[in-house]
C-alpha cells in the first residue's frame, strides 16, 4: 500500500522491520536508514534470511533536515517511521513537512541536555501538519502506544468515563548480565531516574525517583515489585480524557537493577551534562552507554515473560455503575526471539510501530494533524495486535486498585 522509510537501526527497528516485511501487502517497499549503514545492512540481511524480503538501506544523519528530505524524495516514501532517538523527533517532523511525508514515532521529544518528557514541542506542530494535509502519529510503541489504545478501546466499548487509570509495565525476563537495561541504556536511565510525577485531583503530584514501591501479582509472571515513575502517556491521557482524576505509571525493577542505578547516579555516571576527562569533553551517560550491553544483543539469552496493560475505573456504558477493567498483553521473550530475533521489550515496541504505520498506510488514521494514540479509532489496531503477535485480554476486577 505504501513505501516506508524507517529511521534508526536499534533493537526496536530490528523487530519492526521484520514485521513490516511479513506484511508486504501493506509495506510495499521498505528503506532502513541510520547514521551507521552497517547496522541497517545487518538487519536487512536478517530480514532476507528469515522472511525472504529485500530491504533497502541508506546512511543518514537524522539531525540534517536536508539529508532526510533528500532521502524521502529519493525513496518516494509516503510515511517516515522514526525509531531513532527521541532527541531527533522535531528535525524529522520538519523534514516530513518539507518533503510532504506522513510521520510516526514511538516516544515523545526530549531535549538532549535535559531529561524533560513533554509533548508541547510536538503538539505545536498541529497547525503545520493540518495545513500541509499530512498526518503525524505520536507514541506508537507499547507504553506509550498500546496502553493509550487500550484506554481508548475501554472508553469506546466498556466505560463512558475513566475516573482513574494505572499503567502497569512488568518485565519478568532475566538474562545472564550483572546489569543491563531492556532498551537504549541512555534513554532508559534518563527516564528511570527522573523525578516522579502523577496526576491527581487536577494537579501534578511530585516525588523522588524510585521511592514509591508496590508489590503486584502479575498474570503469567507472579509477584513483582513495581515502582512509580513518570511516563509521557500520562500527559496525553489527562489532556484528551479530562475526566481522569488520577493517572499513574508503574514499572517493575529487580533489587539489583535499583542498586546499580542508584550507585551509577551517586558517582555521576548518569549525568547528561558535559564534563572534562583528560582534556576531552564527554557526557558521562553516553560513555556509560558504550560500556553496557546492547539490549538488541540480549534476545538469545533472555527468558521469561512481560505483561503490560492498564487498570481503569469509570462509569460503565451499560448503566450498571462504576466498574474496573484490567486490559493487558502477555509476551514471551523466547517466542519473540524465535519469530524475529528480538527480545520481548524490542518486540512490544516494534510490533505496535508496524501496526500504527499500517493504520496510516491503510487509510484508517489519515486525518491531517498531530495525534496521540488515544485520539484515534482503536478497533483495527486492536485486531492487528491479536493477529500479529501481541494478543490482549480484558477482565473485570472486583473494584478499583487498592494501592
Amino acid at each position: 500500500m505504501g513505501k516506508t522509510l524507517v529511521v534508526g537501526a536499534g533493537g526496536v527497528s530490528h523487530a519492526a522491520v521484520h514485521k513490516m516485511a511479513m506484511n508486504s501487502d501493506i509495506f510495499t517497499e521498505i528503506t532502513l536508514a541510520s547514521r551507521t549503514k552497517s547496522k541497517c545492512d545487518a538487519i536487512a540481511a536478517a530480514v532476507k534470511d528469515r522472511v525472504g524480503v529485500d530491504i533497502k538501506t541508506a546512511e543518514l544523519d537524522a539531525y540534517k533536515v536536508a539529508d532526510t528530505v533528500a532521502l524521502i524524495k529519493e525513496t518516494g516514501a509516503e510515511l517516515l517511521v522514526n525509531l531513532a532517538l527521541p532527541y531527533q523527533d522535531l528535525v524529522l517532523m520538519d523534514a516530513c513537512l518539507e518533503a510532504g511525508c506522513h510521520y510516526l514515532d514511538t516516544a515523545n521529544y526530549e531535549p538532549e541536555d535535559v531529561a524533560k518528557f513533554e509533548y508541547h514541542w510536538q503538539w505545536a506542530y498541529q497547525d503545520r501538519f493540518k495545513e500541509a494535509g499530512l498526518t503525524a502519529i505520536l507514541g506508537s510503541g507499547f507504553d506509550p502506544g498500546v496502553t493509550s489504545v487500550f484506554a481508548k478501546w475501554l472508553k469506546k466499548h466498556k466505560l463512558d468515563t475513566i475516573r482513574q487509570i494505572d499503567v502497569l509495565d512488568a518485565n519478568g525476563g532475566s538474562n545472564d548480565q550483572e546489569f543491563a537495561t531492556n532498551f537504549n541504556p541512555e534513554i532508559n536511565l534518563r527516564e528511570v531516574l527522573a523525578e516522579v510525577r502523577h496526576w491527581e485531583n487536577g494537579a501534578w503530584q511530585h516525588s523522588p525517583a524510585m521511592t514509591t514501591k508496590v508489590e503486584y501479582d502479575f498474570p503469567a509472571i507472579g509477584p513483582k515489585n513495581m515502582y512509580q515513575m513518570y511516563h509521557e502517556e500520562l500527559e496525553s491521557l489527562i489532556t484528551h480524557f479530562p475526566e481522569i482524576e488520577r493517572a499513574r505509571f508503574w514499572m517493575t525493577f529487580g533489587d539489583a537493577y535499583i542498586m546499580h542505578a542508584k550507585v551509577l547516579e551517586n558517582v555521576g555516571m548518569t549525568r547528561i551534562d558535559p564534563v572534562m576527562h583528560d582534556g576531552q569533553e564527554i557526557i558521562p551517560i553516553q560513555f556509560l552507554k558504550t560500556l553496557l550491553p546492547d539490549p538488541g544483543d540480549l534476545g538469545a539469552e533472555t527468558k521469561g515473560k512481560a505483561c503490560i496493560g492498564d487498570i481503569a475505573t469509570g462509569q460503565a456504558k451499560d448503566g450498571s455503575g462504576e466498574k474496573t477493567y484490567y486490559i493487558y498483553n502477555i509476551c514471551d521473550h523466547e517466542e519473540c526471539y524465535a519469530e524475529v530475533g528480538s527480545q520481548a521489550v524490542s518486540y512490544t515496541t516494534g510490533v505496535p510501530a508496524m501496526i500504527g504505520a499500517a493504520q496510516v498506510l491503510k487509510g484508517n488514521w489519515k486525518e491531517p494533524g498531530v495525534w496521540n494514540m488515544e485520539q484515534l479509532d482503536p478497533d483495527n489496531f486492536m485486531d492487528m495486535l491479536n493477529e500479529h503477535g501481541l494478543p490482549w485480554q480484558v477482565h473485570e476486577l472486583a473494584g478499583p486498585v487498592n494501592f
Side-chain angles (χ1 to χ4, degrees):
M1 292 183 183
K3 297 179 179 180
T4 305
L5 171 60
V6 180
V7 178
V12 172
S13 288
H14 181 100
V17 172
H18 272 79
K19 297 296 282 192
M20 289 176 181
M22 293 173 183
N23 291 273
S24 57
D25 57 326
I26 300 173
F27 301 92
T28 54
E29 188 175 294
I30 305 164
T31 302
L32 178 59
S34 172
R35 185 192 298 267
T36 307
K37 186 174 180 293
S38 60
K39 292 183 177 180
C40 301
D41 293 337
I43 292 174
V47 169
K48 180 67 173 178
D49 181 61
R50 191 175 272 110
V51 186
V53 171
D54 290 312
I55 303 297
K56 296 181 179 180
T57 63
E59 181 178 333
L60 175 67
D61 182 349
Y63 285 108
K64 296 180 178 178
V65 172
D67 290 2
T68 305
V69 170
L71 185 58
I72 291 171
K73 292 181 176 179
E74 178 187 332
T75 60
E78 178 181 341
L79 171 67
L80 184 150
V81 177
N82 172 15
L83 303 180
L85 294 172
Y87 319 138
Q88 298 167 330
D89 288 1
L90 302 187
V91 291
L92 289 174
M93 292 177 78
D94 287 336
C96 286
L97 285 168
E98 186 173 334
C101 183
H102 301 295
Y103 171 88
L104 178 142
D105 65 31
T106 62
N108 72 346
Y109 171 75
E110 61 178 283
E112 197 164 0
D113 58 353
V114 57
K116 193 176 183 69
F117 314 105
E118 294 180 3
Y119 273 116
H120 69 85
W121 289 286
Q122 291 180 278
W123 285 345
Y125 279 69
Q126 175 70 266
D127 290 343
R128 293 170 64 191
F129 269 83
K130 275 189 175 180
E131 291 166 5
L134 297 171
T135 300
I137 307 295
L138 308 183
S140 189
F142 207 107
D143 46 345
V146 175
T147 52
S148 301
V149 176
F150 280 171
K152 181 58 178 275
W153 185 89
L154 287 174
K155 277 206 69 172
K156 182 174 181 179
H157 297 285
K158 297 291 186 180
L159 300 172
D160 274 334
T161 61
I162 293 178
R163 180 173 64 83
Q164 63 183 40
I165 186 167
D166 288 272
V167 179
L168 279 57
D169 183 329
N171 181 10
S174 62
N175 52 55
D176 296 330
Q177 303 295 323
E178 289 293 330
F179 179 71
T181 61
N182 51 30
F183 58 94
N184 183 294
E186 181 180 352
I187 304 302
N188 178 272
L189 287 166
R190 285 168 62 112
E191 188 175 280
V192 168
L193 297 172
E195 180 187 50
V196 176
R197 288 188 290 157
H198 78 276
W199 184 258
E200 191 163 5
N201 297 325
W204 289 111
Q205 310 299 322
H206 301 260
S207 58
M210 300 290 105
T211 56
T212 304
K213 177 177 72 172
V214 172
E215 184 180 81
Y216 191 78
D217 190 1
F218 287 90
I221 294 176
K224 297 278 288 184
N225 286 331
M226 62 181 188
Y227 291 80
Q228 194 171 335
M229 293 173 52
Y230 177 72
H231 227 237
E232 62 241 52
E233 63 261 50
L234 299 184
E235 180 186 17
S236 65
L237 285 170
I238 66 162
T239 298
H240 300 125
F241 300 158
E243 77 273 15
I244 291 177
E245 297 174 5
R246 188 183 71 192
R248 302 179 297 182
F249 182 92
W250 306 84
M251 185 174 285
T252 63
F253 299 99
D255 293 341
Y257 179 98
I258 297 296
M259 177 189 70
H260 279 84
K262 287 184 175 179
V263 169
L264 290 168
E265 182 181 35
N266 288 341
V267 300
M269 285 300 295
T270 62
R271 286 175 56 175
I272 62 177
D273 57 313
V275 301
M276 296 302 296
H277 173 71
D278 284 345
Q280 182 175 353
E281 189 177 86
I282 66 167
I283 296 176
I285 197 170
Q286 293 181 357
F287 174 71
L288 175 62
K289 177 184 174 181
T290 68
L291 302 178
L292 294 176
D294 183 341
D297 296 334
L298 299 177
E301 63 182 80
T302 304
K303 318 293 182 187
K305 293 178 171 62
C307 177
I308 312 174
D310 301 345
I311 300 178
T313 299
Q315 289 296 316
K317 283 193 174 295
D318 62 8
S320 58
E322 191 169 81
K323 289 189 175 181
T324 299
Y325 290 97
Y326 187 14
I327 182 169
Y328 59 86
N329 160 261
I330 296 167
C331 195
D332 187 283
H333 285 282
E334 292 177 90
E335 291 177 3
C336 296
Y337 187 75
E339 183 188 358
V340 302
S342 298
Q343 37 93 337
V345 177
S346 295
Y347 189 93
T348 54
T349 305
V351 174
M354 178 278 289
I355 296 175
Q359 298 305 304
V360 176
L361 294 177
K362 287 164 52 170
N364 295 334
W365 293 352
K366 268 287 185 71
E367 181 72 20
V370 177
W371 311 108
N372 291 93
M373 305 286 277
E374 68 273 7
Q375 296 177 274
L376 306 166
D377 188 84
D379 289 347
N380 188 256
F381 187 100
M382 295 286 279
D383 290 343
M384 289 189 71
L385 287 173
N386 283 329
E387 296 163 3
H388 297 285
L390 293 176
W392 51 275
Q393 48 191 299
V394 59
H395 300 283
E396 184 178 346
L397 302 184
V401 298
N402 59 4
F403 51 83

